[in-house]
Each structure stands twice: as structure tokens, then as C-alpha cells.
Amino acid sequence: MNAGLTLAVDAMSGDHGAAVAVPAALDVLATTPDLRLIVVGRGEVVQPLVAGVDPSRCRVVEATEVVGMDERPQDAVRRKKNSSMRVAINLVKSGDAAACVSAGNTGALLATARFVLGMVPGIDRPAIVSAMPAAHGHTVMLDLGANPDCSADHLVQFAVMGSVIASDLHGVEKPRVGLLNIGEEDIKGTEELREAHRRLAGTPINYVGFVEGNLIFSGEVDVVVTDGFTGNVALKTMEGLARFISSVMREEFTASPLRKVGALAAAPALRGLKHRLDPSAYNGASMVGLAGVVIKSHGGADRKAFASAVRVAIVEARKGVPSQIGGLMASVAVAETHKSPASG
Amino acid sequence: MNAGLTLAVDAMSGDHGAAVAVPAALDVLATTPDLRLIVVGRGEVVQPLVAGVDPSRCRVVEATEVVGMDERPQDAVRRKKNSSMRVAINLVKSGDAAACVSAGNTGALLATARFVLGMVPGIDRPAIVSAMPAAHGHTVMLDLGANPDCSADHLVQFAVMGSVIASDLHGVEKPRVGLLNIGEEDIKGTEELREAHRRLAGTPINYVGFVEGNLIFSGEVDVVVTDGFTGNVALKTMEGLARFISSVMREEFTASPLRKVGALAAAPALRGLKHRLDPSAYNGASMVGLAGVVIKSHGGADRKAFASAVRVAIVEARKGVPSQIGGLMASVAVAETHKSPASG
């Protein structure tokens, strides 16, 4: 059905490096017939891990350097020209790969990808977007940390990018987009928020207005747009609360021998709960707005989680997310141009 | 042991009005020997609810008006001079009550309290503070929505107020205070955050540095300071996620007859979990920085939750939170003055 697809995997970055990235990518390769992999890293590390894999479907491209998890983004761009991250992104730029996946340093990945690939026309800055579990399935949220300070222009662009991700990755037909605020009234929030609110109402985006943080999970919206500071705080707060609730559950279910018996009886329900809230199923944040598909895996991702990120890359590459974003952004720009003489 | 304490209760505000506020306050009265109540509201509504209560411990003060939940703060201040909210705050101002509790409109309560009571010297704006459940017991967080835009001065003042609440309400000896940011490095965040970060390091506050959202729950800090926009988004996000997880649990535990049997066996653990995360135990946000104790109950609070808010008011009044804040703020100001010639 689908044309063959080649994916570049940065095999050296992240907390676990090649030991997780390579087996995870091979797991996806085994279940995706038309996929081909380019594994980027130091030959002596990655070659043994791909031994026995069909060479027509998986090849190694040598990269001698690795970007450290604490390395400054500008240093990675300037000095690490032969890093596994940089080489993987170069393969997207050259067209040898349709997308790349990395578990590396977020700032370095963003800066390198932006430097090498450039932006989709009409988009000023890349944003980090990911799906959150919600009552109706998923809510797409951005920006999760790339842009602490955002203008109204940026927020409008985020709404475009979030809409495309919700349609392309999650199959939502007319994604309902909300702008995160501390109240639903028009007068709430900063000037940037209020301007973006006014402008979004006049675009082809299915904009539903200001939403509060609880709506991320309620199923009332498909996309939540916010600046990278607020989005990152909300994301980390969710992660912290989920971890805290799960540790309290563990304590309560192991507090006595009788409780442990109860936990056994409740095991199917607890497994169901765990499955539905499984963070590894939500791994793979897209760096949207770039003129190429770049997926960031959590640095500490395990094999299953890294494989989720690889699958996100495949879907985005097949759907052509960057050109979809360009198309929707152009139609938003047209709508705003037509509107402004009358409204101004 | 403690001198007698009189509390004013706004009996008419909130989603449930007197039907919840009065019985809740009487519950606390029954278990707090030296407490006296002033129930503020329309006589024909509240008199029947206090019938039979010792009149030397509970009296009614008439207030003919009620501030609506959607009423604009400035309208409440200007036009509702005989509202239950305003009269309850007036009783704090006159010294007839040591504190007041209201489940009314947050904006109106803040504006009215600030107008009537004024601020603690050295504090520019009131902030909304509440405790969150955390690994070590509680984390105190502020501002939860009073001040969407904050300067470094405001953030330093919030750190002072959060420290006082953590010591006075939660018995923490040298509360560890963190400033919410999207990374722990000194270079992250806005200019206001970085300035507050530099200044807090030179104060008597036990400042531990920048913290990310997951640290709210981890037990590594006792106080998390942030602006009212970010704090409100984080709070609503927590509420939404907690509700979502609890609805997924309910679904998983009722998905089949066998699962329901499992839920019965797990009931003690599930009850323990519910008890430890019970939102009604966390009701009662303080409006700190005001020259008087004003406690805001959730508008939809039930009897148990409203009673929690009444108990918060009692502790803050007994500890003299406003004067504690004034004292710590003065010592912070002295430390900053002594430091600035050398550092400037």
C-alpha cells in the first residue's frame, strides 16, 4: 500500500544510547514491511547490534561524535558536526531519510534541526508537541518547552501545527482547538493571548476559545495551545502527579498482607489502568514547524517507549506533516489577509 | 490553652450557600471548645440553621445582599456594601472576628478584602496559596491565580508568604522554597524569574533554587513559588488529571462482574488511596498578604470540605499569619539592603 519509507535513527543519544535505540528500532522494522532503517552511530557500537538483520533494510551510517545530554545547543550546532544527531538530521535534509528519531538533548536537537532543515514557510519557530491521554482518547498539546516567550503570531502558528497533528496522527476530522488560559472570559490572560484569541476566531481552524487546564483531559478539545513555559510546567506537573498517585497506590496496595491479596484480585483492573495511562505509549514528541520530520524520544525511554517514538516518526513522514502545516498555514494567512481590511 | 477565637463565616456565597456553610461551621464549632462563630447572611435563611446552638458561641449578623459567582470584582466592591462577603470582611477589619471564610467568587473576595483590610506592610499584592498532597505530606504552592503578571519583587514576596504558611500551617521548620521554572539552570526562564532567583539566594528564606513541575509532589521542596498564571494552569491541570485518573479507575474496576469482585477485595486499599488524595481535605486557600486572615473555600465545596476551610482559618488566625508575614518580609528587606552595596 504505502511506498517504502526510510527512517534515520540517532543510535547514540539518550540515557541508554544504542542499547535501547537499536533494538527498539529493529522491533518496529520487524512489524513494518516497507520500512528501511539507517542506524547512525559509532560502527563498533552499533554494528554488533544489527548483526543478522537484512542489509537491504538496515544499514549503518558512521558518526564519530555524540552530543552530551547537558551540552549547550549552540555548542552542539557549531562543534559537533559529526555527531549521531547531526548526521541523522543531515540524512533528512539530503532526502536519504524521510524522518529521524533521537533521544538526545532537547535543546541541541531543536537547534541542530532548525539550523540544518530550516522552517516550513510561514512558521517562525519549531514547537514541541505531544499527545496526552484524555477522556476521548488523546489531546494534542503544544508548545511543551521550545519557546518560553510567545507572541500572538506564534500562538496562531501553534494552533495550525496542533490541528495538523491531531488530524494526521490521531485521525480527528475537524480538531477542536483551545487556547490555554486561566478563565474562559475574553478579558482574561495576557495581551498576546487575547490577540491570538481574536485572530484564531477568523481562521479556518476549528477554534473553540479559551480553555482551562482541566480541559486537557476532559475530551472537550482535541488540541491545547500554550506558550512553551506554561506548557512545560503543565507537562512536568502531570508527570509528577501521575508518578505520585502511582506511588501512593503501590503503598496502599502493599500496606498489609490482606491488601496484597486485594491487589491480586484487582490485578486485571490495575493492569487495565496501567495500560491506559502507560507513559511509554505517549513517548515521541514531534518537533513541528521544521521543514522535515524530527521526533524526540524521552532521554530515559526504554525499548517499548523508543519504539513508540519510531512509530510517530513513520506516521508523520507518511502523512507529510511539514507540507500539511505549510498548506494550512497558507490558508490561515489568506483568511487573515481577507479579513483584516474589513475588521481594521 | 488558646485564647478564645471568633470567626466570621460568609454563609450566603458559593454554589450551595448557607445549606453547606452553616452546618460545616457548626461541625467545627462542636469540636473546637474555645471557638465562637459569627454567621453572616440573611436572617430568614441562616437563623433556622443555627436554632438550638448556644447563643454565647454563635450569633448571626444580618447582611441583605449576596455577591454573585459571576459578578465583576469592581462591581462587588462598589455596589455590594451590604453583601455577606463584605460584612464578614468588615468584621475582621473591626476586630470583631479574627478571620473570615467565604466560598464566594474569588475575584470579588480578593478585591473586597484588599479594599477593606489593606495589605501587610512590604507586600504589594495578595496571593492565593494552598497545600497540595506530596510524598512528604504537603507542598504549599502560590500564587494560584490572583496575579497573572508578576515582577521579581512579587515573586520574592510570595516566597516570604509561602514560607510563613509552610511553618505556621504545616509545622515545617525551615521550609525549602523553590521557584517554578522549566529547568534548574540559572539561565532558564524570564528575566523576572532570574532576578527573583538571584535575590532569594541572599535572604533568610531557605531558598533551594529553580524547580520543575514534578517537584511539587516529590517531597524535595516545601514551598513552590510561581506567578498566578502558571500556578492557576498547574492547579487546574492537576485537578483535571486527578479527575481523569479516577474516572479511568472507576471504568476499569466496573468493566466486568469479575472486576467488580476485584474492586471489593481491593476496597481497603482504594479507600486508603481516596483518603490520601481527598480533595476536600485540601480545601481552604488562603488569601495571603492581606492585613487580616481571609480563607477562600472552593465554590462547590461540600460540608466536609467547607469545614476544612474553617479549620485553615482557625490555624492562620491563632498563628497570626499576617504579622508573621510582616516580620519575615522586614527581615528579608533588611538582608537585601545590607547586601546590595557590596553586590551592587
Side-chain angles (χ1 to χ4, degrees), chain A residues 212 236 251-252 276, chain B residues 212 214 236 251-252 276:
Chain A
E212 297 190 75
K236 296 278 170 66
E251 284 170 29
E252 291 295 331
R276 285 177 60 184
Chain B
E212 296 189 75
N214 52 318
K236 296 277 168 65
E251 283 169 32
E252 291 294 332
R276 285 176 60 183

